[in-house]
Amino acid sequence: MTAPSTNTAKPATGLASLLKTALINALVALVLFSLMVGIRTEAGSDGQLTYWTRFGELASLVAVVFGGSIVIELLRQWIGPTGAERLVPPAVQSGMSLIGRYLTPALLIFTVLVPVIFYDQRYILDLAILVLTYVMLGWGLNVVVGLAGLLDLGYVAFYAVGAYSYGLLATNFGWSFWICLPLAGILAAFWGVLLGFPVLRLRGDYLAIVTLAFGEIIRLVIINWQSLTGGPNGVSGIPRPSFFGIPLDNSDDGFAARLGIEYSPTHRIVFLFYLILALALLTNWVTIRLRRLPIGRAWEALREDEVACRALGINTTTTKLTAFATGAMFGGFAGAFFATRQGFISPESFTFQESALVLAIVVLGGMGSQLGVALAALAMIGGFELFRGLETYRMLVFGMAMVLIMIWRPRGLIGHRAPTVYLTKAQAISSDLVKEGHG
Amino acid sequence: MSGDKTGDKILGVDRLTMRFGGIVAVQDLSFAAERKKITALIGPNGAGKTTVFNCITGFYKPTGGAIRLTHDDGRVIALERLNDFRIAKQAKVARTFQNIRLFPGMTALENLMVAQHNALMRASGFTLLGLVGAPVYRDAEKRAIDLATEWLRRVNLLDRADDAAGNFAYGDQRRLEIARAMCTEPALLCLDEPAAGLNARESAALSELLLSIRDELGTSILLIEHDMSVVMEISDHIVVMDHGVKIAEGTPREVRDDPKVIAAYLGADEEEAVAVMESGT
Ligand SMILES: Nc1ncnc2c1ncn2[C@@H]1O[C@H](COP(=O)(O)OP(=O)(O)O)[C@@H](O)[C@H]1O
Ligand SMILES: [Mg+2]
């Protein structure tokens, strides 16, 4: 802790260390798989225990782990960040930021034009809406994980709170989407603060576990509070969004009839697309602004060094709570959108897997980077669809692709941080220096 | 909380005791720091100096004793009853750390902006005014940048304002940390071994900086330091600790000639010097 952080040394590259790592991995695999795969037990016809061994499969699995370790290690040395790259970060960084400068507007223009280009392709539009939903969720979680450095594994809870807020308010009281949307955000933020209180003193792994539990608790409450939420049956008949009061259907005072054009169900899809695009861009705009305000700088400072923050008179409690609340609010917005898009919500949509997916998007994107999160959401959701043809092997290929990306860019796709204020020139900061937070 | 405003002391430490389980790190320590003066706290490693700092700045809750801060306007604050961030925010006590604690992934300028968090928070209407870009906030931010620029100039780091703090050389990091503490506009500045790891030239520049903070800005300084050239040159008053108790105090000259001090501290000078050198790299 005494010396200023220097570049970490390159891991040992010798053949011996390579073999040693692979051997250790193979050994671990042997211990794990010998019980999981090597021996099978089953209740026999008379209820007696029968078992048989599968040493062949076991051997091949261990061999795969051994070979795989070597391959991954070689790949890491081959395409991973090299010492040379770390020594010349300015050039790399300026190159990256140059790409970043043109990539962002280009992506934005393309996104706005998606419904025009793909008007007839319902599948692409649906996929684009899905990607944008995850972009928004990623940006929301990015406030908590990327900026404030608080590892939140229960983000889906706020998504659920937002979805159920809209679903229940709309079906029980008939309130419109535009009234329910802010309410869903506020309710989710409220739950964010509630979650924030007990976990304020926790850090790292402990924080992750408690937030994970919180996500599960919300889901279990939804399942069991049958009278309110409909339990496992969910809430159905949630009103579709209207174009500021004008329904998007083929009725006489519907959107198409009023405009005097022929009704098409695509109108609603396009409207949903622009709705989630607007919500996502709002999230992005607010986050970018917050980052340049004292509260945003305090979030990042908190991620860098909490003790130093306290020594500077920053109330770390309220700073963490505002991060939780802000992230949760965006999650709530996204949830309300999800409910109105689906027309039906059930607890099944809000499992831990969703939290993990959103977190993966944030980590893959490069923690704290808005553009990175958007690219990661596109890669994760779009890429997953891309592999649809592979059927059974889809997950496997997808997982391998993620491992490769993380070897190639361990700090995420966008591996640098842009300063929030500058005197003469905004220089990108290499993410080697940026802390990930301790919880 | 009756005001004990004898003399013009800014900080009064009265029978401070700090125990960690069985270890008594500080025992019945009493001393005072005068306003607009530099008070040094010296002693061999493990004497309990950093623990005293942690008690003053609220990172530890003292086992016993009182710590009183008297502001210019006569307000007396019982520091042992405030906790952590309130001491910096309300009592205006700023500190640096023995192991530098900058925000390494943020630029030097950003580090100094974070230090002005509370003032900027108020100006940004607790974020709402700032979010809509109100002119009130923009003016405040401009002033904050000006203050930060002024401090970067003072510590001779102006040309590196937009570099990440983690990329700075050791001596630059120490000076940046002092600048950051000063950006909170403190009444009392507590520095924990600011010269550790600096070379002779950097130490001399540090002495000059601390003297200018005292003379030009009138900020009171409490200083822990091993580098005797710095301590003897700039201190107005020196308190010597050993094994958690005060063994001597007085002017630099008095302390230097005190046989108890020589026995406890200067006698261990060589080892100390080695230890300090090692901890500084
Ligand atoms: N948090 C703590 N828990 C236990 N012991 C501590 C703690 N902080 C300091 N000490 C002990 O208190 C004594 C004084 O330490 P310290 O104040 O750091 O000395 P100095 O700064 O004078 O070198 C040491 O023996 C140290 O081990
Ligand atoms: Mg110390």
Side-chain angles (χ1 to χ4, degrees), chain A residues 2 4 289-290 293-295 297-298 304-305 308 310-311 313-315 417 420 422-425 427 429 433 435, chain B residues 59 84-85 88 101 103-106 110 114 117-118 127 130-131 133 137 141 161-164 167 170 173 279 281:
Chain A
T2 51
R289 283 210 78 116
L290 285 178
L293 288 174
I295 186 70
R297 281 197 205 109
E304 297 280 312
D305 195 326
R310 283 191 275 148
I314 295 175
N315 185 341
R417 174 184 174 269
T420 59
Y422 58 90
L423 273 192
T424 48
K425 185 168 164 284
Q427 288 170 321
I429 296 164
L433 294 171
K435 292 262 162 57
Chain B
F59 282 89
D84 59 19
F85 78 94
R101 281 181 170 272
F103 306 120
M106 303 174 91
E110 283 181 306
V114 173
H117 175 80
N118 288 317
T127 303
L131 205 57
Y137 173 69
E141 187 178 42
D162 299 325
D163 287 350
N167 271 335
Y170 197 69
Q173 293 202 11
S279 71
T281 45

Side-chain angles (χ1 to χ4, degrees), chain B residues 261-279:
Chain B
V261 177
I262 295 168
Y265 188 82
L266 298 178
D269 206 353
E270 260 176 37
E271 284 167 44
E272 277 300 308
V274 171
V276 171
M277 291 295 289
E278 277 168 0
S279 71

Side-chain angles (χ1 to χ4, degrees), chain B residues 80-147:
Chain B
E80 78 277 8
R81 288 189 209 149
L82 286 182
N83 52 10
D84 59 19
F85 78 94
R86 289 209 174 75
I87 290 187
K89 188 178 175 183
Q90 289 159 13
K92 291 272 159 210
V93 178
R95 73 171 290 179
T96 64
F97 294 88
Q98 188 170 348
N99 331 306
I100 303 171
R101 281 181 170 272
L102 288 167
F103 306 120
M106 303 174 91
T107 66
L109 179 64
E110 283 181 306
N111 268 271
L112 303 196
M113 294 296 280
V114 173
Q116 302 175 61
H117 175 80
N118 288 317
L120 283 173
M121 250 342 233
R122 249 173 279 122
S124 74
F126 297 91
T127 303
L128 291 178
L129 285 178
L131 205 57
V132 296
V136 195
Y137 173 69
R138 270 193 247 144
D139 291 347
E141 187 178 42
K142 216 168 281 157
R143 278 196 306 277
I145 293 176
D146 287 344
L147 180 66

